[in-house]
Amino acid sequence: MLGPLKHLTVASHLSHTVYFVHSFKSQTHETLHCLLGTCSSMKDLKQIHAQIVINGLNAEILTLGKLISFCAVDDEGNLNYARLVFDQMAARNKFMYNNLIRGYSNSNNPVECILMYRRMIGCGLSPNEFTLPFVFKACVCKSDYLISVAVHAQAVKLGIGSQVCVQNGLINAYIACGFLDCAREVFDYMCERTLVSWNLMIGGYSKEGFIKEAFLLFREMREVGVEADEFTLVNLLSVCSQTCDFYFGRFVHLYIEITGIEIDLIVRNALLDMYSKCGKLESAQRVFDQMPYKNVVSWTSMVIARARHGLLEFARETFNRMPVKNVVSWNSLIACYVQKGEYKEVLDLFHEMHNSRVVPDEATIVCVLSACSQIGDLDIGKKIHNYLDYNDIARTVSLCNSLIDMYAKCGAIGNAVDVFEEMSNKSLVSWNVMIGALALHGSGEEAIKLFGKMQAEGLWPDKITFTGLLSACSHGGLIDMGRYYFNIMSSTYSISPEIQHYACMVDLLGRQGLLEEAIKLIGEMPMRPDVVIWGALLGACRIHGNVEIGKQILKQLLALEPNSAGLYVLLSNLFSETQRWGDVMNLRKLMKDHRIFKSQAISFIGINGHVSEFMVDDKQHEVSGGIYIILDQLTDHLRSTGYLCSLSKSFLDLEDL
């Protein structure tokens, strides 16, 4: 309870205080009581406490109560010292208990706060309206509904349940525990409501995203003559941001303009965030420009607003102009680049952030690992993993899941398995990520075994689990297991197959040459087949050289995605591999007529921690001249050794389209 202080005595705390003995000999408790009111530090208090001990005034309850009050409540106090004095007293009063309960509540120690409250009740002292608000505050920290109910009952029993400060504390506790209905019931029966009461209830609705209820309460609040303050406005703007409701958000802004209410920087930032999330960039820019003072939150919100509109260059420009950047600012820009698929820029930003001596947090690491997984940068991924270990950063479930995904997509499935097995706590997402990783590497049987272990752990699979399992069966050619898992989805786990599950089954059946069964399954789908379904079947036609079904699929694909170059290339490969050169030429003409061009593929290569990207005939790289000289030398060498032969006419290059 008191940690290392539990064996200390008051005398040991006073051993270094000696000079006061000559100055305050034979002081009365009235004098010392007054002197306690002038304390500004623990040093002053210890001097007075020593006089209390020397003059034999340890039984003066009022004086010691004031001493405990300073130690427990004052910013310069020492809560452990207060508790030490309290525990050595023979008699204690309600005032002492209240101050200790308040001290523990304010110091974010809800367990000790509630234990002290129970001890107070146990010794026969009844709590009052100064006790319960801080007990409810502890219930908020613990989100403990049952204790909140018990304290509520105690308040009613003692006749103080109608005190407004008690009711406000109770409303806050019920909201924190997720029981909005209970909080509203207390609110509705309040005889007297303060602005705090209204703000708590509006804030509760805002936190849960109930925009209609929040604004109805705001209207009722105005009707009874209660004026809104900054907390009211921030709560209302917050729920507008959550729900992207521009109508109500603009209403709050108009209310501010019409009433002329003074607003602070927090409200202005909330306005900026609301317009940003509602997609109103011009309004967000106007609020930003009119700010008399901008902090890091204001700048970060503007960066996010521009990035959301696809203006990454302008977002980066705003970011570069920021006078102060914190980890949230960096994370916001990094996350924007991740969402836009600009993974190379993500890694460059991460290096820049590191050079700026800003310490990354979990959100940073997750974003960077995601970028590494997308471009296959195993080197940076391993460095981040080593960084976590070297700095003894706690591996949360989210971090471990990101590491597994990164290793799997970078080809290091062994490292992914190691991370998974080292996890002390695995969520359903962890199992799904690992099953998907094994599926990606064609380890179908291992994925199935892992699913068995997951079931043994008592975890209930979801639709993502079955997507991974069916994909594993498809890549591993496990036709019977694939049929089995597809059937038990609905029969055992009551999970209705979605289009991605049908796509996996079509791919599985198609790879095994069961095209008729695949077509039958497509006909039984409760939803309309999409391009992924037809693309999987078309891929199977190419594998097994079934041109007739491929032509039928082409009609479906043209109706769904008439401009998808990838599908035309896939069908062209099918025709060329079956020597259907006339069909190939017709397809090439069709693509030209519809101005459909094959997208150039981008390749990434990592050298010494730096990732470069390039395409066919790419001359953009700063050292492209040297690269092509080396390639020409390699080509000449291969020709001279007989390893380079001309390409077969059966493979047609579509790069010129």
Side-chain angles (χ1 to χ4, degrees):
M1 191 175 295
L2 293 175
L5 294 176
K6 63 181 180 180
H7 298 301
L8 297 180
T9 62
V10 173
S12 68
H13 284 274
L14 306 177
S15 59
H16 300 289
T17 308
V18 291
Y19 77 90
F20 55 88
V21 176
H22 302 288
S23 303
F24 298 114
K25 284 186 177 179
S26 303
Q27 298 292 338
T28 64
H29 74 274
E30 290 87 354
T31 305
L32 295 172
H33 187 82
C34 292
L35 287 173
L36 282 170
T38 65
C39 283
S40 60
S41 67
M42 283 300 298
K43 181 180 178 181
D44 295 340
L45 181 133
K46 288 179 180 180
Q47 292 174 2
I48 298 171
H49 191 194
Q51 279 294 313
I52 292 173
V53 174
I54 290 172
N55 288 280
L57 302 175
N58 290 326
E60 295 296 334
I61 301 297
L62 292 178
T63 302
L64 288 177
K66 196 166 187 178
L67 183 148
I68 290 172
S69 175
F70 176 86
C71 293
V73 177
D74 196 275
D75 292 338
E76 299 298 324
N78 186 320
L79 186 55
N80 287 332
Y81 193 94
R83 182 61 182 272
L84 192 63
V85 174
F86 178 85
D87 286 341
Q88 295 187 31
M89 293 184 64
R92 307 173 184 94
N93 62 13
K94 191 180 299 185
F95 178 74
M96 296 175 183
Y97 275 103
N98 281 351
N99 278 288
L100 280 171
I101 288 171
R102 178 181 174 185
Y104 283 124
S105 178
N106 290 338
S107 62
N108 293 322
N109 194 341
V111 174
E112 284 297 331
C113 176
I114 293 170
L115 288 175
M116 184 59 66
Y117 171 71
R118 288 177 175 175
R119 184 174 174 182
M120 178 182 181
I121 299 292
C123 71
L125 290 174
S126 297
N128 57 20
E129 66 273 19
F130 301 107
T131 314
L132 299 186
F134 296 103
V135 178
F136 285 129
K137 185 179 177 181
C139 294
V140 170
C141 293
K142 281 178 60 65
S143 297
D144 199 316
Y145 171 71
L146 293 178
I147 293 180
S148 301
V149 172
V151 178
H152 186 187
Q154 184 78 17
V156 173
K157 180 180 178 182
L158 295 172
I160 57 175
S162 59
Q163 294 280 351
V164 66
C165 57
V166 174
Q167 290 176 318
N168 286 342
L170 184 57
I171 290 171
N172 194 24
Y174 280 143
I175 289 172
C177 297
F179 288 84
L180 271 175
D181 291 342
C182 297
R184 184 59 188 264
E185 187 175 352
V186 174
F187 179 84
D188 288 341
Y189 282 97
M190 291 180 73
C191 299
E192 177 188 358
R193 295 171 185 159
T194 64
L195 179 58
V196 173
S197 314
W198 290 97
N199 282 345
L200 283 171
M201 205 63 238
I202 292 173
Y205 282 128
S206 300
K207 179 182 175 183
E208 298 298 325
F210 296 138
I211 188 168
K212 181 180 178 181
E213 290 79 358
F215 274 88
L216 286 175
L217 207 58
F218 175 59
R219 185 177 69 180
E220 184 181 343
M221 170 184 169
R222 293 169 56 214
E223 288 173 352
V224 298
V226 179
E227 295 295 330
D229 66 356
E230 290 89 347
F231 294 100
T232 320
L233 299 175
V234 168
N235 283 328
L236 293 172
L237 290 170
S238 174
V239 71
C240 293
S241 298
Q242 289 179 57
T243 57
C244 298
D245 195 309
F246 171 66
Y247 173 80
F248 281 115
R250 184 176 59 179
F251 169 80
V252 175
H253 196 177
L254 289 173
Y255 172 83
I256 294 171
E257 296 291 335
I258 292 172
T259 59
I261 185 172
E262 290 291 330
I263 59 174
D264 57 13
L265 181 60
I266 297 176
V267 179
R268 295 181 189 276
N269 284 339
L271 271 172
L272 174 56
D273 183 65
M274 181 273 297
Y275 281 126
S276 169
K277 290 181 179 175
C278 290
K280 304 298 179 180
L281 182 58
E282 291 183 2
S283 299
Q285 185 69 55
R286 194 177 304 115
V287 171
F288 181 78
D289 293 338
Q290 292 174 355
M291 284 185 171
Y293 170 74
K294 303 175 182 70
N295 64 3
V296 67
V297 177
S298 317
W299 285 95
T300 303
S301 296
M302 203 61 231
V303 169
I304 296 173
R306 287 178 167 173
R308 279 202 182 103
H309 284 75
L311 305 173
L312 271 179
E313 291 184 4
F314 290 101
R316 183 64 184 269
E317 180 187 344
T318 305
F319 179 82
N320 291 336
R321 289 193 293 114
M322 289 179 67
V324 178
K325 303 180 183 76
N326 59 15
V327 66
V328 177
S329 314
W330 286 97
N331 288 350
S332 299
L333 190 61
I334 287 172
C336 290
Y337 276 107
V338 170
Q339 292 171 3
K340 295 296 181 182
E342 304 286 347
Y343 303 115
K344 183 177 178 295
E345 285 74 9
V346 170
L347 299 184
D348 291 341
L349 265 176
F350 178 65
H351 287 301
E352 188 179 337
M353 175 183 178
H354 180 72
N355 294 334
S356 301
R357 299 184 183 278
V358 177
V359 179
D361 61 7
E362 181 179 336
T364 320
I365 301 299
V366 169
C367 283
V368 176
L369 287 174
S370 174
C372 291
S373 68
Q374 293 298 323
I375 63 177
D377 195 333
L378 182 60
D379 183 51
I380 297 296
K382 283 185 174 179
K383 287 181 179 178
I384 292 174
H385 193 176
N386 293 334
Y387 173 83
L388 297 176
D389 292 337
Y390 180 78
N391 291 278
D392 199 25
I393 297 174
R395 287 200 206 171
T396 63
V397 174
S398 178
L399 271 179
C400 289
N401 293 342
S402 297
L403 282 170
I404 294 169
D405 185 63
M406 181 275 296
Y407 278 128
K409 290 179 179 175
C410 291
I413 187 63
N415 296 82
V417 172
D418 291 340
V419 174
F420 179 78
E421 290 180 347
E422 290 171 3
M423 291 178 68
S424 54
N425 296 314
K426 301 180 180 73
S427 66
L428 177 60
V429 175
S430 311
W431 292 92
N432 288 346
V433 170
M434 195 64 236
I435 289 172
L438 292 170
L440 182 66
H441 286 263
S443 303
E445 293 183 357
E446 286 78 2
I448 290 171
K449 289 178 182 177
L450 190 64
F451 178 62
K453 291 180 181 179
M454 172 182 158
Q455 289 177 305
E457 294 284 338
L459 286 174
W460 193 263
D462 63 2
K463 59 184 180 181
I464 299 175
T465 315
F466 282 102
T467 301
L469 283 171
L470 293 173
S471 177
C473 293
S474 177
H475 287 87
L478 306 174
I479 184 71
D480 291 332
M481 292 304 299
R483 289 185 180 123
Y484 168 73
Y485 285 127
F486 187 78
N487 290 330
I488 67 170
M489 276 184 65
S490 54
S491 62
T492 303
Y493 296 100
S494 300
I495 299 173
S496 299
E498 297 184 359
I499 198 158
Q500 63 265 29
H501 302 113
Y502 282 101
C504 289
M505 282 303 297
V506 170
D507 186 57
L508 171 59
L509 295 169
R511 285 173 184 266
Q512 300 304 308
L514 303 173
L515 297 179
E516 295 298 331
E517 185 177 346
I519 293 171
K520 180 182 178 183
L521 180 64
I522 293 174
E524 295 172 351
M525 287 174 56
M527 70 285 294
R528 187 177 180 182
D530 65 358
V531 68
V532 177
I533 298 290
W534 293 119
L537 188 58
L538 183 58
C541 291
R542 179 191 173 187
I543 293 173
H544 299 284
N546 196 318
V547 178
E548 296 307 319
I549 295 179
K551 285 186 174 181
Q552 295 176 21
I553 295 171
L554 177 61
K555 298 177 182 178
Q556 303 292 338
L557 291 173
L558 288 176
L560 291 172
E561 289 195 20
N563 299 318
S564 176
L567 297 172
Y568 283 94
V569 172
L570 186 60
L571 192 59
S572 175
N573 291 335
L574 169 61
F575 290 151
S576 63
E577 289 169 6
T578 55
Q579 310 296 309
R580 304 285 289 266
W581 306 116
D583 289 327
V584 171
M585 297 307 297
N586 291 334
L587 193 62
R588 289 167 64 90
K589 184 178 184 302
L590 185 63
M591 292 179 70
K592 283 185 177 180
D593 292 342
H594 288 83
R595 300 186 62 79
I596 299 171
F597 302 95
K598 178 186 173 184
S599 300
Q600 288 186 318
I602 299 176
S603 299
F604 296 91
I605 184 170
I607 303 173
N608 296 327
H610 179 73
V611 176
S612 298
E613 61 181 44
F614 58 91
M615 297 181 293
V616 173
D617 294 330
D618 193 353
K619 301 292 196 306
Q620 299 296 321
H621 198 279
E622 56 187 5
V623 292
S624 61
I627 292 173
Y628 279 102
I629 289 173
I630 297 296
L631 286 174
D632 289 340
Q633 292 174 355
L634 289 172
T635 303
D636 292 339
H637 176 70
L638 289 172
R639 281 201 182 99
S640 66
T641 55
Y643 283 103
L644 190 65
C645 60
S646 60
L647 294 176
S648 172
K649 294 296 183 181
S650 60
F651 294 97
L652 298 179
D653 187 7
L654 296 178
E655 293 293 343
D656 59 337
L657 292 178

